[in-house]
C-alpha cells in the first residue's frame, strides 16, 4: 500500500457568515430553533440529507449558495442574532447554580461518566434511553450553569443502523462515523498535536485520542482508540457501542473509567465529584484512588475513603441480571499488576466486586464495585429506588428496608429538545417568554389553563398532520430500500389519516417491554382500527439488540401483522429509530403507549417527551408513571398488581388495555362539541401538562442531583482531603476500631414508662400497654459498649406502626440521650410521642456514629435489642 499523508479540508465561509462555524460546533443549536433555522434556511433539503449535521452541511453546500446567503441582509441579520444569543447564553452569570452556590461549593467540579450520550442524531454515540438521559443531563446542566464535564467514548461506528428484510426480520449495518465532518473537535496538547492518554493492558499500552464536544456551557470529552499507535485489535475498542464479547466490554469500561480520569487530568480537570451513570465507569473510582495515593503517599484504604466521599452511583437496572459481571481469570489478566502496584492483593480487589466477599464462586459485579466506591447511590424513579433497595438489602443485614442507603431521583427530559416549535410558540404566548427557564415551577404551568382550547387543539392537529406526512415519506423510503413493487410503494403514500386517533409506541425492543401486548387479540384490535366512525392508528419504532432474537421476533410479528390488507393503512413500523424520528413521534401522537412488565422499567423517559407536546400517556404503572399518574392526566393499565405467572399477567393486562381503549380513550377522543372540538380530551391534555411538565424534566432532575448529592458530597469530599487527607485517615482508623470492637456492643436492658389510658376506656385489651393519643412514652436503655466511647455510637428508639406480623413498618429512629455510665456500660433515655392511634411498637438499637461518615453505606454495623 502507498503511504498516505492525511490533511483536513475545512469549509470556506464568506466573512459575513463566519458565525456559522462557532454556531455549528456548539450543540446548543440542538435545542435552539432559531439556530437550527440558520442552517435550514441555507438549504432545507441538504439539511435533511446531512441528518441535521451542520458541520457536514457546511462542508457540502455549494459555494454559490453561501455567497447568496452572505448577500441576503435578512439572513445575515438572523445569523448574527443567533450568534449574539449564543454568546449571551454562554457569558451570563445569572444561572441557577450561581444563584444557589455557597462558599463551601464554590470550587465544585462534577465529572459525569456515561457509556453513551444522546445529544443529537448527528452524533450517533447513543443507543437509547440511557444515552438520551445522559445527553439531557448535560443540556440541563448547561442551562442551569452547573460546573460539570462529561466523559464518554467516541465510537467509530456507534450503535447499529436498523433495516428490515422482506419478512420483517431486523438487519444491522454499521456505517463509519466521519469525525472530521461532525461537531467534534480534537483536543490539542501544548505542542498543538492531538492529545492522547494511555491505559495499561496485558503486555502493552493502549492509547486513546481525546476529542471535545461543546454542549452549551458543558464540555464533553470523548475517547477514541482508533489511532495508528494501537494494534488493529485495540483500535476496535471504540468501534461499536455495546458490540463485541465480554472481554471487549471490559476493555471499553477500562478505557471509559481509567482512561476517562486520565483524560480529565490531561486537560487540567480534577473533579471534586464524579457521577457514574450506570456501573460501566466504576473503574474510574479505582484510578482516582490510585492518583490520590501517588499525590499524598497514603494507603489504598485512605484514598478510597476520600474518593468514595465524592462519588455518586446512579443505577438504571431493575434486575440483577442487568449488571455487567466478569470472571476472575479475565479480571486477573487486566488488573493483577495494576492493583498490586496500589498495595492491595488481587483477591482483595476482586472481593470488592462481590456481594459476599468470601464467596469464591461469585463473579465480579460492576454495580457492587461501584456501590463500594460511592458513598451515594440512587435509582431513577421512586419505584425503582424501592426495587433497588430490595436487590442490595442482603449487604445491609439488620437494617430495615427503607434505611438501605439507596435513594432515588426520578428521571426527566430536556423539554426544549423535544417540544415542537408550534407548541413552544404557543407556550411563549400564554406562559411567558421565560417558561423554559422556569419549567420546574408549578405556577408557570398553571397558566396552561389560559390557553384557548381551539388554539391548543389546532397545534395538536398540525403536529399530527406533520407526523403522518413524515411517516409516509419514511415508509416509502423503507420500501424503496427493500426493493418492493411500485404498487406497494404507492400504497405507502396512502397509509394513516391526519384525523384519526394516533397511538405511538417506540422504544428498545426488549421482551419485558411487551411490544405485542396490544396485538394479543387480533380481531379485537382490527375492530378498533377499522371503526369507520372512530378509527385508530398505531405508529411503532424501535431496535432490538443484535443478539436479542426474542426482541427481533417481536418486531417480525408486528411487521407481519401490519402487512395484513385489513390493517396495513392503520399500522406502520418505522425503521431505524433515532432522535429525529423520536421527535416527530412525540410531537405528533395523541397517546403514548407503554406496556412493560412491572417492575422492570426503572424509569422510562419516552412517555415524558409527549407531555409538553400535548400527548397523553396510556401506561402500566411502572417507572415514572407509577408516581406521575392521576385519573385526570392519562390512563393507567391495571393498578400495579404483580403476578407470579407472567403469561397470566400478560393476559389480564391485555384485557385491561383493550377495555381502556374501547371504553375510555377512543370515546373521549371522538367526543366532539358543536364546534368540532374534543373539549374533554383537551381538558385532560391541560391537566397532563399542568401536573406533569413541571416535575418530569431534567431541570428539576439536575437541580435535585445538585442539592441532594453534588453539593453536600463536594463539601464533604473537600473536608476529607484537607491536611493531606487527614479527615479520610481519621475515618479509616475509626472504622477499623469499630469493626474490631463491635461484637462487644450489647443492649442489656430496656424499660419504658408512660401515662396509661384510664380504666374506663373501652376497646383496650391490655391497659398496661395502652397509651392515649398525645401522651409520651419514656424509654430507658442500659447499653454495654466495651472499649468504645459514647461518642462512637448513636442509641435510638426505633418506633412506628406494626404490620400483621408485629414488625415495625417504616419506622422512625428517635435518639436517646446519655444519662450516666461507667466501666463501659451506659444508661440512655428518651421519649417517643404517641401522636397517632393504633397498634405501634418500638425497639432499641445502637448504630455507629461519626460526624463525617455516611452510614450505613460505609459501615453497615447495627445492634438491636
Amino acid at each position: 500500500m502507498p503511504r498516505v499523508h492525511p490533511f483536513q479540508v475545512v469549509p470556506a465561509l464568506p466573512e459575513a457568515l463566519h458565525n456559522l462555524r462557532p454556531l455549528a460546533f456548539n450543540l446548543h443549536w440542538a435545542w435552539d430553533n432559531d439556530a437550527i433555522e440558520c442552517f435550514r434556511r441555507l438549504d432545507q433539503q441538504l439539511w435533511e440529507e446531512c441528518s441535521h449535521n451542520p458541520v457536514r452541511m457546511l462542508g457540502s453546500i455549494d459555494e454559490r449558495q453561501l455567497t447568496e446567503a452572505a448577500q441576503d441582509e435578512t439572513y445575515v441579520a438572523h445569523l448574527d442574532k443567533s450568534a449574539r444569543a449564543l454568546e449571551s447564553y454562554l457569558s451570563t452569570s445569572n444561572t441557577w447554580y450561581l444563584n444557589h452556590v455557597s462558599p463551601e461549593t464554590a470550587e465544585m467540579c462534577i465529572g459525569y461518566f456515561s457509556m453513551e450520550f444522546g445529544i443529537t442524531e448527528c452524533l450517533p454515540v447513543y443507543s437509547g434511553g440511557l444515552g438520551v438521559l445522559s445527553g439531557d443531563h448535560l443540556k440541563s446542566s448547561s442551562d442551569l450553569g452547573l460546573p460539570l464535564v462529561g466523559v464518554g467514548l467516541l465510537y467509530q461506528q456507534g450503535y447499529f443502523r436498523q433495516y428490515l428484510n422482506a419478512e420483517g426480520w431486523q438487519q444491522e449495518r454499521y456505517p463509519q462515523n466521519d469525525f472530521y465532518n461532525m461537531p467534534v473537535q480534537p483536543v490539542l496538547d501544548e505542542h498543538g498535536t492531538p492529545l492522547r492518554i494511555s491505559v495499561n493492558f496485558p503486555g502493552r499500552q493502549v492509547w486513546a485520542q481525546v476529542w471535545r464536544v461543546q454542549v452549551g456551557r458543558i464540555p464533553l470529552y470523548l475517547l477514541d482508540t482508533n489511532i495508528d499507535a494501537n494494534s488493529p485489535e485495540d483500535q476496535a475498542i471504540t468501534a461499536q457501542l455495546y458490540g463485541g464479547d465480554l472481554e471487549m466490554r471490559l476493555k471499553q469500561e477500562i478505557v471509559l473509567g481509567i482512561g476517562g480520569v486520565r483524560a480529565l487530568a490531561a486537560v487540567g480537570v480534577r473533579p471534586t465529584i464524579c457521577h457514574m451513570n450506570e456501573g460501566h465507569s466504576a473503574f474510574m473510582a479505582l484510578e482516582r484512588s490510585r492518583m490520590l495515593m501517588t499525590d499524598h503517599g497514603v494507603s489504598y484504604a485512605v484514598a478510597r475513603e476520600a474518593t468514595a466521599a465524592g462519588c455518586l452511583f446512579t443505577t438504571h437496572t431493575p434486575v440483577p441480571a442487568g449488571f455487567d459481571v466478569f470472571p476472575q481469570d479475565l479480571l486477573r489478566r487486566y488488573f493483577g499488576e495494576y492493583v498490586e502496584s496500589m498495595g492491595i492483593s488481587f483477591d482483595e480487589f476482586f472481593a470488592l466486586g462481590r456481594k459476599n466477599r468470601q464467596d469464591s464462586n461469585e463473579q465480579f459485579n460492576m454495580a457492587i464495585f461501584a456501590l463500594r466506591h460511592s458513598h451515594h447511590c440512587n435509582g431513577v424513579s421512586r419505584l425503582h429506588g424501592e426495587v433497588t433497595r430490595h436487590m442490595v438489602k442482603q449487604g445491609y443485614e439488620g437494617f430495615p428496608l427503607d434505611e438501605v442507603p439507596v435513594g432515588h431521583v426520578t428521571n426527566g427530559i430536556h423539554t426544549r429538545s423535544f417540544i415542537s416549535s408550534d407548541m413552544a410558540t404557543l407556550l411563549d404566548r400564554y406562559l411567558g417568554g421565560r417558561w423554559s427557564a422556569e419549567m420546574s415551577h408549578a405556577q408557570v404551568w398553571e397558566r396552561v389553563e389560559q390557553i384557548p382550547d381551539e388554539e391548543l387543539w389546532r397545534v395538536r392537529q398540525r403536529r399530527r398532520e406533520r407526523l403522518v406526512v413524515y411517516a409516509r415519506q419514511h415508509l416509502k423510503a423503507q420500501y424503496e430500500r427493500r426493493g418492493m413493487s411500485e404498487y406497494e410503494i404507492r400504497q405507502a403514500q396512502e397509509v394513516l389519516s391526519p384525523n384519526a386517533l394516533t397511538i405511538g409506541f417506540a422504544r428498545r425492543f426488549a421482551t419485558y417491554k411487551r411490544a405485542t401486548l396490544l396485538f394479543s387479540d387480533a380481531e379485537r384490535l382490527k375492530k378498533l382500527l377499522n371503526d369507520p366512525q372512530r378509527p385508530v392508528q398505531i405508529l411503532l419504532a424501535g431496535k432490538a439488540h443484535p443478539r436479542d432474537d426474542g426482541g427481533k421476533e417481536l418486531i417480525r410479528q408486528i411487521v407481519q401483522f401490519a402487512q395484513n390488507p385489513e390493517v396495513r393503512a392503520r399500522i406502520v413500523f418505522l425503521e431505524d429509530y433515532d432522535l429525529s424520528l423520536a421527535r416527530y413521534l412525540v410531537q405528533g401522537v395523541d397517546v403514548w403507549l407503554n406496556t412493560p412488565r412491572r417492575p422492570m422499567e426503572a424509569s422510562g423517559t419516552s412517555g415524558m417527551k409527549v407531555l409538553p407536546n400535548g400527548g397523553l400517556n396510556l401506561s402500566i404503572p411502572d417507572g415514572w408513571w407509577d408516581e406521575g399518574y392521576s385519573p385526570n392526566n392519562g390512563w393507567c393499565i391495571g393498578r400495579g398488581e404483580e403476578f407470579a405467572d407472567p403469561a397470566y399477567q400478560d393476559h389480564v393486562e391485555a384485557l385491561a388495555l383493550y377495555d381502556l381503549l374501547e371504553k375510555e380513550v377512543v370515546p373521549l377522543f371522538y367526543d366532539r362539541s358543536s364546534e368540532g372540538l374534543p373539549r374533554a380530551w383537551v381538558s385532560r391534555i391541560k391537566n397532563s401538562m399542568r401536573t406533569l411538565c413541571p416535575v418530569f424534566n431534567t431541570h428539576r432532575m439536575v437541580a435535585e442531583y445538585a442539592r441532594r448529592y453534588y453539593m453536600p458530597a463536594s463539601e464533604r469530599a473537600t473536608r476529607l482531603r484537607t491536611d493531606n487527607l487527614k479527615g479520610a485517615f481519621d475515618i479509616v482508623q475509626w472504622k477499623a476500631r469499630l469493626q474490631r470492637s463491635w461484637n462487644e456492643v450489647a443492649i442489656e436492658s430496656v424499660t419504658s414508662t408512660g401515662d396509661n389510658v384510664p380504666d374506663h376506656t373501652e376497646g383496650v385489651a391490655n391497659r398496661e400497654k395502652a397509651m392515649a393519643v398525645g401522651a409520651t412514652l419514656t424509654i430507658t436503655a442500659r447499653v454495654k459498649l466495651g472499649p468504645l466511647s459514647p461518642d462512637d455510637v448513636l442509641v435510638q428508639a426505633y418506633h412506628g406502626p406494626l404490620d400483621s406480623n408485629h414488625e415495625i413498618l417504616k419506622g422512625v429512629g428517635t435518639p436517646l440521650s446519655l444519662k450516666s455510665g461507667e466501666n463501659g456500660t451506659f444508661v440512655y433515655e428518651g421519649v417517643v410521642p404517641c401522636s397517632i392511634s393504633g397498634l405501634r411498637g418500638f425497639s432499641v438499637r445502637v448504630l455507629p456514629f461519626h460526624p463525617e461518615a455516611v452510614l450505613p453505606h460505609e459501615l453497615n454495623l447495627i445492634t438491636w435489642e
Side-chain angles (χ1 to χ4, degrees), residues 14 19 42 84 128 152 176 206 245 255 305 531 541 571 637 709 769 850:
N19 282 325
L42 286 174
R84 288 194 303 272
Q176 298 285 323
V206 171
D245 58 11
V255 172
E305 188 70 41
D531 186 325
I571 300 179
I637 305 168
Y709 293 112
K769 294 185 178 181
H850 190 287

Side-chain angles (χ1 to χ4, degrees), residues 257-275:
I258 295 176
V261 171
R262 293 180 182 179
L264 290 182
V267 298
V269 175
R270 293 291 287 264
T272 54
I273 300 297
C274 280
H275 186 168

Side-chain angles (χ1 to χ4, degrees), residues 33-160:
N33 286 328
D34 279 344
I36 291 173
E37 278 301 307
C38 288
F39 300 106
R40 185 182 281 123
R41 282 182 62 179
L42 286 174
D43 187 328
Q44 183 165 344
Q45 182 177 346
L46 183 59
W47 174 249
E48 298 298 332
E49 290 173 357
C50 289
S51 300
H52 305 163
N53 181 346
V55 177
R56 181 179 162 200
M57 180 182 183
L58 294 179
S60 306
I61 195 169
D62 192 302
E63 287 189 28
R64 288 175 299 180
Q65 291 172 279
L66 293 176
T67 301
E68 290 173 4
Q71 296 170 352
D72 183 340
E73 293 182 1
T74 61
Y75 177 81
V76 172
H78 179 189
L79 173 60
D80 291 346
K81 176 188 172 186
S82 293
R84 288 194 303 272
L86 176 60
E87 184 179 351
S88 174
Y89 174 87
L90 297 176
S91 61
T92 184
S93 59
N94 185 26
T95 65
W96 179 90
Y97 175 71
L98 290 178
N99 290 329
H100 289 80
V101 70
S102 66
E104 292 78 13
T105 57
E107 302 301 318
M108 181 174 75
C109 176
I110 307 144
Y112 184 86
F113 288 69
S114 184
M115 190 68 108
E116 49 175 306
F117 286 90
I119 302 166
T120 171
E121 57 269 27
C122 73
L123 186 62
V125 292
Y126 65 95
S127 73
L130 177 70
V132 175
L133 177 79
S134 300
D136 285 5
H137 197 112
L138 298 193
K139 292 173 185 177
S140 279
S141 295
S142 172
D143 289 343
L144 299 180
L146 259 67
L148 182 143
V149 296
V151 182
L153 302 180
L154 186 59
Y155 302 99
Q156 191 65 58
Q157 297 173 340
Y159 205 51
F160 69 91

Side-chain angles (χ1 to χ4, degrees), residues 619-640:
S619 177
I620 297 289
D622 199 7
W624 77 279
W625 193 237
D626 180 66
E627 57 196 274
Y629 166 73
S630 67
N632 64 355
N633 67 10
W635 294 273
C636 198
I637 305 168
R639 292 294 176 263

